[in-house]
Amino acid sequence: MIMKKFLIFIMFLIGMNVQAQEVFNELRQKNKAITENPQSSGLVRSISQFKLDALNYLVIKMQEEMPDSSAYFLDSQAIAMNEYVTFYIQKLVQYNEMPKALQEDMTKMFMETTKGNPLFKDKDKEMVLSYYNNGECLIRFSLDTNWEKALVTIKKKMAKNE
């Protein structure tokens, strides 16, 4: 029960609901501040570190492979990534009382959805899957993800399971 309350608190702490103007920069600054704050709990810091790394990856790859893309596209991907992570945390809380096998299946579904919806089809799998392959991380998602597509996909999958 304590874990459930803590995860709900984290979800509200890190979840953002902002408009698509400079969203990328706001999310990046907020998550950078959390990761650099020694007062932040380890769990909150690790979630923010994933978000920060995902945002940095996104902007670097977009500059390399999609230099003509709009700020709106970058913002919409940032919003979707943030929503995806927040939705995952909500499901972790919801599944907390369920059998471990169901929890693992739900986590695998989120993981596979990020891996199955690449944005850049990056060949550097070691880097792209660094979180995905790390069993120590709470957020085990691929960095090379089309977050808008992944969000739509996971919501459909989760609706089928409920």
Side-chain angles (χ1 to χ4, degrees):
M1 189 62 152
I2 292 171
M3 179 68 163
K4 185 175 182 179
K5 288 180 183 179
F6 184 68
L7 287 174
I8 289 171
F9 169 75
I10 290 170
M11 182 176 62
F12 287 114
L13 181 67
I14 62 177
M16 290 183 65
N17 194 11
V18 292
Q19 296 178 357
Q21 293 178 340
E22 298 299 316
V23 173
F24 173 85
N25 290 331
E26 282 187 48
L27 279 171
R28 191 172 180 286
Q29 289 170 352
K30 180 180 181 187
N31 286 292
K32 185 175 184 191
I34 291 170
T35 60
E36 293 174 351
N37 182 352
Q39 303 277 317
S40 298
S41 77
L43 188 56
V44 171
R45 194 175 306 127
S46 70
I47 293 167
S48 289
Q49 186 63 60
F50 172 81
K51 288 181 177 184
L52 183 60
D53 290 346
L55 292 168
N56 287 336
Y57 173 82
L58 181 63
V59 75
I60 289 167
K61 290 305 281 186
M62 283 184 66
Q63 288 171 349
E64 289 174 3
E65 297 191 21
M66 304 167 78
D68 296 332
S69 61
S70 67
Y72 177 79
F73 182 75
L74 182 62
D75 283 350
S76 62
Q77 285 292 317
I79 289 169
M81 181 275 299
N82 195 62
E83 282 186 47
Y84 193 94
V85 173
T86 301
F87 187 57
Y88 175 64
I89 293 168
Q90 287 173 337
K91 292 302 175 186
L92 281 177
V93 170
Q94 189 177 29
Y95 277 60
N96 191 40
E97 302 293 322
M98 294 186 179
K100 190 161 182 80
L102 282 175
Q103 293 175 29
E104 289 173 359
D105 288 346
M106 183 271 302
T107 296
K108 285 178 186 172
M109 192 181 314
F110 272 83
M111 290 171 61
E112 291 300 319
T113 300
T114 64
K115 189 176 175 185
N117 287 285
L119 183 59
F120 305 107
K121 296 178 178 62
D122 195 332
K123 302 265 188 265
D124 186 356
K125 296 301 179 195
E126 184 177 335
M127 193 257 310
V128 167
L129 299 176
S130 59
Y131 281 91
Y132 185 94
N133 292 329
N134 185 346
E136 300 296 313
C137 292
L138 176 66
I139 308 296
R140 296 182 59 195
F141 302 150
S142 171
L143 293 175
D144 182 12
T145 299
N146 181 327
W147 294 104
E148 289 179 295
K149 284 185 178 180
L151 183 61
V152 169
T153 302
I154 198 64
K155 286 189 173 187
K156 286 179 184 175
K157 288 179 179 180
M158 293 306 296
K160 286 181 185 177
N161 286 351
E162 293 176 357

